[in-house]
Amino acid sequence: MPGSTVTLHFSLSLTDGTVAFDTEDEAMTCTLGDGTLLPGLELALYGLTAGEEQTLTLTPEQAWGERKAELVKEMPRSDFPADARLEAGQVLSFSLPDGDETLGVLLSTDEDKVLVDFNYPLSGQDVVFQAHVLEVNNSGIPDDE
């Protein structure tokens, strides 16, 4: 339930079985409702207890949303180091004006421009969420009186 601290192993994969992320090597602990997990992922955990597993396929709307054409940007090649070897498919980190970082996938490059996709890599795709709950701690949830 919201406010529960949950320790779990989970994986995210595409419907074709391609694994995008998993916590196989190290369990993750989060508090439901704190924004660590997407709401769609949290919904798959509600009601589960330690030892239980859940597999759920999320639509783009339940996960990272649809792809947005406006997040594909053409940038001048001069914005990148002159000696950088840029290739389609590379994932690069970009600094935002507020100092945060974001990732972009290079779609194409030539001597004058670079096309970068700033959509989240899993946006626009159904995502299979598999979770194995190791521990649930509800001590942080106030008792109703």
Side-chain angles (χ1 to χ4, degrees), residues 120-135:
Y120 189 80
L122 296 177
S123 63
Q125 300 189 55
D126 288 346
V127 177
V128 179
F129 175 60
Q130 293 181 297
H132 177 205
V133 176
L134 303 174
E135 182 180 337

Side-chain angles (χ1 to χ4, degrees), residues 79-100:
D79 283 356
F80 298 84
D83 61 346
R85 290 190 53 195
L86 302 177
E87 297 176 8
Q90 278 182 294
V91 178
L92 297 176
S93 181
F94 293 84
S95 296
L96 298 173
D98 65 3
D100 283 344

